[in-house]
Amino acid sequence: MGRLLKAFFFKLSKDLAFRIILIIGGGLALFETLILFGLQQILATEADVFKLVSGQSMLMLSFSPAQNFGLAIPLYIIIFICLEFSHGTIRNKIIAGHSKFQIYTSLYLSGLILAMMLLLSYVTLCTALGSIFGGFDVNGEAMFGITSGSKLSLEYLLKYILLGLLVYTSLVAVTVFFATLFRSIGPCIPIIFLLIMGGYYLAVIMGTVIQTSEAIALHQQMSGDQEVYQAAKDSLENFRRIGNVLKVINPLYSLSVADNVDGVSTMDTYTFFAGIGSNLIYAAAFFFGGAAIFKKRDIK
Amino acid sequence: MDIITTNELCKQYSHKLVIDHVNMHIPEHSIYGFVGENGSGKTTIMRLLTGLAEPTSGSFTLFGVKNTDPAIYEKRKYVSAIVEKTSLVPSMTAKENLRYFELYTGISLTEQDRDDLLRKVHLEDVGNKKVRNFSLGMRQRLGIALALVSKPKLMFLDEPMNGLDPEGIAELRDLLIDLNQKDGITVLISSHILSELEKIASCYGFISHGKIIEEITASELQSRCRKSLMIKVDKIAETEAILKTHNITDYKVSSNGEINIFENLKVNDIVAELNAANVTILSINSSEESVEEYYLNLVKEGK
């Protein structure tokens, strides 16, 4: 295994595409910050301070797999793995006496290392640039990102970062699964794209439905119409139940929706552990499922 | 001692049995020429033996270890192969490809070793040229250099002469003979250039439609190859009539007017009769059946 990983790092150091993707990541971070800063300058008036860019908003933006560079990471992993097949290096590794399980594990670990390297570089750069242009903004004054308008607690930040890293363990497992299944870039890219965007929008839509239902229920409670209030409360309960199921079956949920309690971003224990559990289950299922399929199939 | 033996080895794709109960024996330190038509199953057998494909049924042993035994992974370290295509990273140089191969095989070569290997395959002057800019022949030679990195005891070479110019073929032939004789490397080689195979193989496996039809050593083959008398004449019909009067039936007429007679005959009598019948003898000589002819006869007999 160590030999396979050493070879991976050597190949990575010689890979032009890796250098290109690092440049793209850097460029995107700068471009996004400047665009948001530009918008902020246009929309701000003398009477009303309007903030879009901050370290916090850029941190939240850059961690999501559904945002620009977050999508590029699995796409690069697909290219890297599919080229291992088309160049015949997987064949050579088998001929040289590596078991298929060792090779599959090394592909997964290589993908995970790649994802972490790219993600952490991108997040660090985005947060640094955001902080340069608008300070870190602990109070969430920037009207951008899932924690906008609420204070960022250390507890939430740590939970978010942990889940943000953990989501890549399952995302890489899914990516390696499809890359080794199809062994061709063509079909893998749309599948991964649809899975990530589907998971993200499903979470955002559900989060919005719950927040809107909460507002409606509160409004009806204030207006004193008990019958309508009860109906709104029942609907809210139903949406919350669906949301709770989604938290388990959609690993992107906890990264896409944040709760705001008394002006502070929070993540309840259920959401946090559902996020951990769903990511670990997806990672294990796709890793072992993929390894079993890889072991059975012939190498062309 | 056999370095590889297969036992009723089968491979089925969908409902088609492409390898049909194959029993092969590859002696240690031999150059085993693998002969068969396109699609006969040569490459599939190599893929099975190198672990790239799993047998549907049957088994094989490699260095005495059964294919289902986990110890086979250890034995595979003594194997190198070029099956179907050379496995190279196009964005790397020749030396970087060697280094990459070294890393995942756990072998450490010195810069001098790498230079020697590249010199051995006549790629010492490629410098920093990326493999994507190599010709087919250069890639083939680099593939062979990679196959030599691990100092293997067994090499699988599937059509290694493809893409090589005549000089390259001769060099590869000499290299394989050298590796076999000096380093004792066993080579399993398939090639469509049977005349080249004939120059290096110490034994042969003939395969047709997924079945091994014969395994034979080069010396046995030599003794079995039929001797023939080749006569080139201007009147084929008359010549055939004369042969029939002598009860000679085992002969073959080729399109260029040559008649290969595989039976013992009294040459003087035939020549006299041909002269009497005004048949001009353009050439006459004795020849021996080639590996190709032997294989074609085997396949024909099998049918």
Side-chain angles (χ1 to χ4, degrees):
Chain A
M1 183 63 65
R3 284 187 271 142
L4 290 171
L5 290 176
K6 258 189 209 170
F8 155 74
F9 280 113
F10 177 77
K11 193 177 180 192
L12 198 62
S13 71
K14 303 286 170 192
D15 191 19
L16 181 65
F18 181 66
R19 279 171 248 170
I20 291 173
I21 201 147
L22 280 178
I23 294 167
I24 289 174
L28 264 176
L30 189 63
F31 178 74
E32 277 167 1
T33 314
L34 290 178
I35 283 283
L36 289 173
F37 186 70
L39 271 175
Q40 177 181 298
Q41 297 304 103
I42 292 166
L43 297 172
T45 59
E46 271 182 35
D48 187 19
V49 176
F50 183 78
K51 197 168 184 176
L52 273 178
V53 181
S54 70
Q56 187 193 157
S57 66
M58 292 303 290
L59 172 70
M60 296 297 159
L61 174 80
S62 56
F63 246 117
S64 171
Q67 305 293 340
N68 42 52
F69 196 63
L71 278 170
I73 293 172
L75 299 190
Y76 176 67
I77 294 170
I78 289 171
I79 293 168
F80 193 87
I81 292 175
C82 290
L83 287 180
E84 282 271 300
F85 281 100
S86 63
H87 293 159
T89 31
I90 298 273
R91 300 153 58 95
N92 267 359
K93 287 171 185 173
I94 287 174
I95 293 165
H98 293 285
S99 73
K100 284 186 179 172
F101 185 75
Q102 277 179 335
I103 293 171
Y104 192 87
T105 308
S106 80
L107 288 177
Y108 175 71
L109 290 177
S110 307
L112 196 60
I113 293 166
L114 254 180
M116 291 301 163
M117 278 164 62
L118 291 171
L119 177 74
L120 291 175
S121 316
Y122 181 68
V123 168
T124 308
L125 187 60
C126 279
T127 311
L129 284 170
S131 301
I132 290 167
F133 281 88
F136 184 74
D137 183 25
V138 177
N139 293 325
E141 286 164 4
M143 304 307 287
F144 192 76
I146 62 167
T147 53
S148 67
S150 55
K151 197 176 171 190
L152 185 69
S153 67
L154 183 64
E155 186 193 340
Y156 179 81
L157 183 66
L158 291 176
K159 283 178 176 173
Y160 187 85
I161 289 173
L162 180 68
L163 285 175
L165 295 174
L166 205 56
V167 84
Y168 279 87
T169 60
S170 59
L171 188 58
V172 170
V174 175
T175 305
V176 173
F177 176 88
F178 283 109
T180 53
L181 187 69
F182 292 110
R183 301 166 184 190
S184 152
I185 296 165
C188 294
I189 289 180
I191 289 173
I192 293 298
F193 185 79
L194 283 174
L195 284 175
I196 294 173
M197 295 314 283
Y200 172 73
Y201 280 111
L202 199 62
V204 169
I205 290 167
M206 202 62 228
T208 310
V209 167
I210 291 171
Q211 279 169 8
T212 311
S213 303
E214 277 170 351
I216 292 170
L218 186 67
H219 177 75
Q220 295 306 329
Q221 189 183 20
M222 306 276 275
S223 66
D225 187 338
Q226 283 306 307
E227 204 176 318
V228 180
Y229 168 64
Q230 194 55 45
K233 210 176 133 190
D234 290 345
S235 299
L236 176 62
E237 283 310 306
N238 286 335
F239 288 134
R240 277 187 177 148
R241 269 186 223 116
I242 297 170
N244 283 341
V245 174
L246 270 183
K247 284 172 189 172
V248 177
I249 61 171
N250 182 0
L252 293 180
Y253 195 99
S254 45
L255 286 179
S256 312
V257 183
D259 288 330
N260 180 336
V261 176
D262 300 328
V264 180
S265 295
T266 58
M267 187 186 291
D268 61 51
T269 310
Y270 176 82
T271 307
F272 179 59
F273 283 107
I276 290 178
S278 70
N279 277 304
L280 290 180
I281 289 166
Y282 272 88
F286 277 92
F287 174 77
F288 287 109
I293 294 171
F294 185 69
K295 189 172 182 288
K296 277 202 148 194
R297 287 181 68 198
D298 294 345
I299 303 296
K300 292 245 165 104
Chain B
M1 186 200 152
D2 292 332
I3 207 161
I4 291 177
T5 54
T6 71
N7 177 30
E8 300 293 313
L9 196 64
C10 291
K11 181 69 182 175
Q12 190 171 332
Y13 288 116
S14 301
H15 295 292
K16 197 179 174 207
L17 195 60
V18 291
I19 299 300
D20 189 358
H21 298 89
V22 161
N23 294 302
M24 273 172 82
H25 309 85
I26 301 172
E28 202 172 1
H29 308 306
S30 65
I31 296 183
Y32 188 100
F34 208 12
V35 181
E37 74 273 12
N38 280 340
S40 58
K42 302 184 296 289
T43 303
T44 307
I45 288 182
M46 287 205 192
R47 288 166 47 75
L48 289 168
L49 298 177
T50 49
L52 296 173
E54 294 295 323
T56 308
S57 65
S59 62
F60 65 87
T61 61
L62 184 69
F63 299 103
V65 175
K66 207 174 170 189
N67 61 311
T68 47
D69 186 336
I72 194 121
Y73 295 116
E74 201 53 43
K75 297 293 177 190
R76 286 201 190 286
K77 287 174 185 160
Y78 305 110
V79 174
S80 67
I82 302 175
V83 183
E84 287 174 312
K85 60 173 184 179
T86 48
S87 302
L88 304 166
V89 183
S91 56
M92 290 185 192
T93 64
K95 273 193 186 173
E96 285 167 353
N97 266 284
L98 288 175
R99 180 81 190 113
Y100 182 49
F101 187 86
E102 286 169 50
L103 284 168
Y104 63 75
T105 48
I107 294 154
S108 188
L109 297 183
T110 62
E111 199 58 24
Q112 184 61 44
D113 293 337
R114 277 178 222 127
D115 287 336
D116 290 346
L117 261 179
L118 291 178
R119 199 170 300 118
K120 211 169 201 172
V121 293
H122 300 285
L123 286 176
E124 65 271 35
D125 296 326
V126 291
N128 286 330
K129 194 175 179 178
K130 304 277 184 199
V131 167
R132 71 165 75 92
N133 300 319
F134 278 22
S135 68
L136 184 61
M138 288 164 82
R139 281 169 195 241
Q140 200 75 306
R141 291 207 292 268
L142 181 57
I144 291 161
L146 281 189
L148 296 175
V149 165
S150 55
K151 296 190 173 65
K153 291 181 179 168
L154 170 64
M155 282 175 87
F156 292 90
L157 300 172
D158 186 19
E159 303 289 349
M161 287 154 189
N162 279 0
L164 296 183
D165 53 24
E167 199 186 347
I169 290 174
E171 281 165 6
L172 176 63
R173 187 182 62 215
D174 294 343
L175 177 67
L176 291 178
I177 292 171
D178 205 38
L179 289 170
N180 176 255
Q181 290 177 353
K182 283 191 186 157
D183 303 329
I185 297 176
T186 308
V187 181
L188 171 59
I189 178 171
S190 74
S191 176
H192 282 119
I193 311 170
L194 296 186
S195 54
E196 285 301 327
L197 218 50
E198 225 173 330
K199 290 175 189 162
I200 57 172
S202 57
C203 53
Y204 294 90
F206 296 104
I207 181 171
S208 179
H209 297 97
K211 288 181 180 175
I212 291 285
I213 42 180
E214 189 169 66
E215 279 188 311
I216 190 170
T217 63
S219 53
E220 277 175 322
L221 179 74
Q222 208 169 15
S223 64
R224 276 199 219 168
C225 276
R226 296 186 297 171
K227 315 276 184 291
S228 70
L229 185 73
M230 197 274 287
I231 307 176
K232 193 170 184 180
V233 290
D234 62 343
K235 292 171 187 162
I236 290 173
E238 283 84 344
T239 309
E240 281 190 274
I242 291 167
L243 291 175
K244 274 172 193 158
T245 60
H246 285 264
N247 286 328
I248 293 168
T249 52
D250 191 6
Y251 64 87
K252 199 167 81 183
V253 181
S254 55
S255 55
N256 61 354
E258 286 175 358
I259 303 174
N260 264 291
I261 306 160
F262 295 103
E263 289 181 26
N264 284 329
L265 64 142
K266 290 176 180 165
V267 181
N268 286 346
D269 293 353
I270 299 284
V271 170
E273 284 191 44
L274 288 174
N275 281 332
N278 274 335
V279 176
T280 310
I281 300 171
L282 302 168
S283 67
I284 182 164
N285 52 49
S286 66
S287 70
E288 208 169 272
E289 211 176 19
S290 66
V291 174
E292 186 179 335
E293 287 162 332
Y294 183 82
Y295 168 69
L296 292 174
N297 278 331
L298 264 182
V299 173
K300 208 157 69 180
E301 283 164 22
K303 280 175 185 172

